[in-house]
Amino acid sequence: MFGRRKKQQRSEITFDPKKQKAMIRCSICTGEQTAGFKDIATGHFEEIMLIRNAGDLENFKRTYGITEITKEY
């Protein structure tokens, strides 16, 4: 019940720009930012990584070949 989540390997996570939208989900209360992909059809958000600084964001963009990213609050 309270076990650790299994980490997904980067090779298992794929980004399809036709079906998904790259975005950062931001918390209004804490300011926490999470990068991931939102399914355009269903609206389901898949968290990929926590963004702590500009370097993390650049790493996320470079890893998945993303040039433009939006924020959602």
Side-chain angles (χ1 to χ4, degrees):
M1 182 170 155
F2 294 108
R4 292 182 176 229
R5 289 177 70 184
K6 293 182 181 178
K7 291 186 178 181
Q8 293 179 338
Q9 297 295 326
R10 294 219 189 268
S11 61
E12 293 177 13
I13 301 168
T14 57
F15 172 58
D16 184 8
K18 295 177 184 175
K19 296 180 182 179
Q20 297 173 321
K21 181 178 180 182
M23 62 180 0
I24 297 175
R25 190 164 58 177
C26 304
S27 170
I28 295 172
C29 298
T30 62
E32 181 180 81
Q33 298 182 359
T34 307
F37 305 119
K38 184 174 184 177
D39 191 306
I40 295 170
T42 64
H44 174 73
F45 184 77
E46 181 179 359
E47 296 179 356
I48 304 298
M49 67 183 295
L50 182 67
I51 303 296
R52 294 185 190 128
N53 55 35
D56 289 342
L57 180 58
E58 289 303 317
N59 185 28
F60 176 72
K61 287 181 175 180
R62 185 175 44 253
T63 302
Y64 293 100
I66 300 167
T67 56
E68 187 177 319
I69 193 161
T70 59
K71 285 189 178 184
E72 179 180 89
Y73 294 92

